[in-house]
Amino acid sequence: MCVHIYPNLKRFSGQLDDALEKSHYVLMENIFQHLYETVHPNPFHAGRVFDIPSNPPRFNINHTFLAHWLRSGRGTVVTPNLDPLIEHTWQNIVGYSSDQLTIIRRPTEFGGWDRLINHPDVLWKLHGSSDDPESWAITLSRVGFSLDGARADFVRHLVKEHNVCFIGYRAADLDLFLPILEAHTRRKQDKGKLFWVFYFREGYKTLADYLQGEANIAQLFEVNADCIYPIVTSAERLSTWLQQRCLGVTPVLPPTSSPIPEYDYRQWFTIDLQSIGELATQKLIGYALRVLGKYEESIAVLNDAVSVILRDEEHLTPADEHLVRRTAQLLQESAQTSWQKEDYLNAIGKVKRAQKLLKRIGGGDPGSEFGLNSMILDAKIPLTATERIAAFLGMIKLHWRFIQLSRHPGPGFSPILGQGLCIYHEAKFTEEALKRTPLLRLPAVRRMLIAWYDRAEKLIRKSEFLNSIPGVKRR
């Protein structure tokens, strides 16, 4: 698709196809967070990926059960999915108009949940709905930390006080898993049961087989095994049984529907690629190659984009602020890729080049400056004390900017990670200073250092980046 719109990018298509074919699992929210912060404030209108047309009808036997259950008022239906399949089923199977179904999709709409719980024709969508862009929870800044407010109270109440059945859920959402775990830990046997449905797999004979690779679900079994019950079946069998046993309904499936026309996706994808421009698209390709483990190819793509811009580097002026910022971002991406290859010399060379460019316009955005400074502080090659001190002072300055952004966040920026990482680097730098200056080893300084680390760990955990930062748990 990128090649169709920008023929100049054709030389990278083979590399990207090969990387996608051999790729490992990539966290969707991580990709969208990167797009949101560095490429496009509304990344590819991503919710449209889940906006499945209602004609021809597309739903399965599980959706039919959920639609009947909604109508019955005998329980609550909660989903983290953005797609409208349950709504389509409700309209087609139950036969009511769409305005008779109440959909709770935005965090602010969960206030007063206790008055609507178990009411008929109310659907709860914890991560938003495809028809409401403001409700989409598809970036790390939205799902990388625990729910708070009314949504958290709602989830905790359901898990702690009611019978709950999880169907087709892996508990991989950090924002949802933490309140689920908290409530399940406190659940008492007389308050109901927690059923967890595992889809049948050939060769799996024990619970341990099904929990392999499912660390979050395994944790739920460990903390309160007496209140959680595994069910191994197929989703279709379970839904059929539930409809017949609980609702007295014989399930009826719609006729096989045709696939979604390709142009439904091509149309909006083309518009968005054109709106972000060729340079941003090339940056996206470079980032995707890095995420997919193709480091050499990623560096080649990013360096190519940089070289095109900097052919007339001496003519760049403060008036070219946008272009300079974009170039610095490309250099930063390329430096991070070299860093992952442990080619620190190359990485720092690109960092210095990016910093030199940004000085022309008085600095870059907080995310770019943080990335550049952090690579200087963490560099495993000899650097002058002046360079490291300048990076440290830059981090302190950034820290206050992140705090202000957290109180008054701007578009396209997530301050949670930035705060945690800035505090972490301040603490780490202080720790190094303590090693070299025995006179500073005072109890008050140690307490301050530990407090900094504690705050940093909490903030970094919120963004689900803990595993990507080596040594962050170190004391």
Side-chain angles (χ1 to χ4, degrees):
M1 195 64 189
C2 298
V3 173
H4 174 71
I5 298 169
Y6 301 114
N8 289 338
L9 302 182
K10 186 174 183 179
R11 59 193 183 282
F12 305 127
S13 61
Q15 298 171 352
L16 193 56
D17 288 343
D18 183 60
L20 289 168
E21 189 176 329
K22 299 175 181 176
S23 68
H24 53 280
Y25 176 74
V26 178
L27 189 66
M28 179 192 76
E29 291 83 1
N30 197 350
I31 296 286
F32 283 132
Q33 184 70 33
H34 174 81
L35 292 171
Y36 179 65
E37 292 190 359
T38 66
V39 177
H40 199 284
N42 189 2
F44 298 134
H45 297 87
R48 297 191 199 176
V49 175
F50 308 96
D51 192 17
I52 299 168
S54 58
N55 280 310
R58 296 176 61 84
F59 44 86
N60 58 33
I61 199 168
N62 306 305
H63 300 119
T64 62
F65 163 68
L66 293 173
H68 286 300
W69 191 258
L70 275 174
R71 183 85 279 270
S72 71
R74 296 182 59 178
T76 301
V77 176
V78 183
T79 178
N81 294 348
L82 274 71
D83 67 65
L85 286 169
I86 297 175
E87 298 95 299
H88 291 175
T89 315
W90 189 88
Q91 293 175 48
N92 281 274
I93 300 296
V94 180
Y96 288 80
S97 63
S98 57
D99 58 1
Q100 291 178 274
L101 178 64
T102 300
I103 304 173
I104 310 297
R105 53 170 77 84
R106 294 188 181 188
T108 53
E109 294 174 352
F110 280 78
W113 57 264
D114 50 330
R115 296 191 301 272
L116 287 175
I117 199 167
N118 289 342
H119 276 221
D121 304 327
V122 178
L123 174 62
W124 306 81
K125 305 189 79 167
L126 291 169
H127 283 166
S129 187
S130 61
D131 61 351
D132 180 11
E134 293 298 318
S135 70
W136 299 343
I138 55 174
T139 58
L140 278 178
S141 57
R142 293 229 180 165
V143 303
F145 51 97
S146 181
L147 291 180
D148 56 11
R151 280 189 305 169
D153 294 338
F154 170 69
V155 171
R156 282 192 289 261
H157 172 80
L158 287 178
V159 174
K160 188 179 176 184
E161 303 293 336
H162 295 265
N163 290 315
V164 182
C165 183
F166 287 90
I167 305 175
Y169 188 58
R170 296 188 59 206
D173 306 295
L174 185 62
D175 61 331
L176 303 183
F177 174 68
L178 293 177
I180 289 172
L181 177 64
E182 178 188 346
H184 176 60
T185 303
R186 299 177 182 178
R187 170 191 280 268
K188 297 179 181 178
Q189 280 188 299
D190 61 349
K191 290 292 185 179
K193 300 175 181 178
L194 194 68
F195 299 95
W196 207 283
V197 177
F198 295 97
Y199 293 156
F200 174 78
R201 293 188 182 182
E202 196 71 43
Y204 280 30
K205 297 181 179 179
T206 67
L207 178 61
D209 292 334
Y210 286 94
L211 292 177
Q212 186 177 2
E214 303 291 352
N216 285 354
I217 304 176
Q219 192 173 353
L220 291 169
F221 275 88
E222 289 170 7
V223 299
N224 198 348
D226 293 336
C227 294
I228 187 167
Y229 299 83
I231 299 173
V232 178
T233 183
S234 69
E236 290 75 15
R237 284 188 179 183
L238 178 67
S239 294
T240 301
W241 183 85
L242 286 170
Q243 288 187 86
Q244 293 174 334
R245 178 75 173 79
C246 301
L247 301 174
V249 176
T250 302
V252 178
L253 283 176
T256 303
S257 56
S258 59
I260 302 172
E262 188 176 6
Y263 64 81
D264 284 347
Y265 292 107
R266 279 181 170 270
Q267 185 176 7
W268 62 257
F269 196 62
T270 301
I271 292 170
D272 280 335
L273 282 175
Q274 289 171 339
S275 71
I276 68 174
E278 183 173 349
L279 181 62
T281 302
Q282 189 164 344
K283 180 177 182 290
L284 173 60
I285 292 172
Y287 175 77
L289 286 167
R290 188 179 83 216
V291 169
L292 296 170
K294 294 285 188 177
Y295 299 136
E296 293 286 353
E297 294 84 348
S298 173
I299 290 172
V301 170
L302 295 167
N303 287 354
D304 179 86
V306 171
S307 65
V308 170
I309 299 171
L310 296 185
R311 283 173 191 161
D312 297 318
E313 180 177 359
E314 65 275 8
H315 299 303
L316 289 175
T317 68
D320 300 309
E321 179 179 344
H322 178 71
L323 192 58
V324 171
R325 288 179 189 272
R326 276 291 168 86
T327 308
Q329 284 183 349
L330 287 165
L331 285 166
Q332 180 190 343
E333 292 288 343
S334 185
Q336 287 176 339
T337 308
S338 295
W339 192 277
Q340 290 186 358
K341 288 182 58 193
E342 300 184 357
D343 185 357
Y344 304 115
L345 192 62
N346 241 325
I348 295 302
K350 295 167 187 172
V351 167
K352 291 180 179 179
R353 194 176 184 188
Q355 288 179 325
K356 183 180 176 182
L357 277 172
L358 289 174
K359 282 182 182 178
R360 296 187 179 192
I361 59 169
D365 63 84
S368 288
E369 288 190 29
F370 164 76
L372 297 169
N373 283 326
S374 65
M375 281 188 272
I376 293 286
L377 287 174
D378 283 339
K380 297 174 175 61
I381 60 173
L383 290 172
T384 67
T386 302
E387 288 172 325
R388 290 187 185 273
I389 290 172
F392 172 65
L393 293 175
M395 280 298 201
I396 294 177
K397 183 179 176 182
L398 275 173
H399 174 59
W400 295 110
R401 288 180 67 187
F402 280 124
I403 288 178
Q404 292 190 349
L405 278 168
S406 70
R407 294 170 181 161
H408 309 286
F413 184 73
S414 169
I416 297 164
L417 174 66
Q419 276 191 61
L421 291 175
C422 282
I423 294 171
Y424 166 65
H425 278 286
E426 289 175 34
K428 188 170 71 169
F429 190 89
T430 306
E431 183 182 53
E432 293 298 318
L434 289 174
K435 290 178 183 177
R436 294 176 173 81
T437 314
L439 291 176
L440 291 177
R441 295 174 190 168
L442 302 172
V445 177
R446 286 201 301 270
R447 286 196 296 272
M448 177 186 71
L449 188 62
I450 290 171
W452 269 354
Y453 269 125
D454 285 340
R455 287 177 62 201
E457 285 185 19
K458 289 174 183 176
L459 287 166
I460 293 169
R461 277 199 189 96
K462 283 183 178 180
S463 286
E464 206 183 21
F465 274 106
L466 185 60
N467 293 331
S468 68
I469 304 166
V472 77
K473 289 187 176 180
R474 185 167 47 84
R475 279 284 184 270

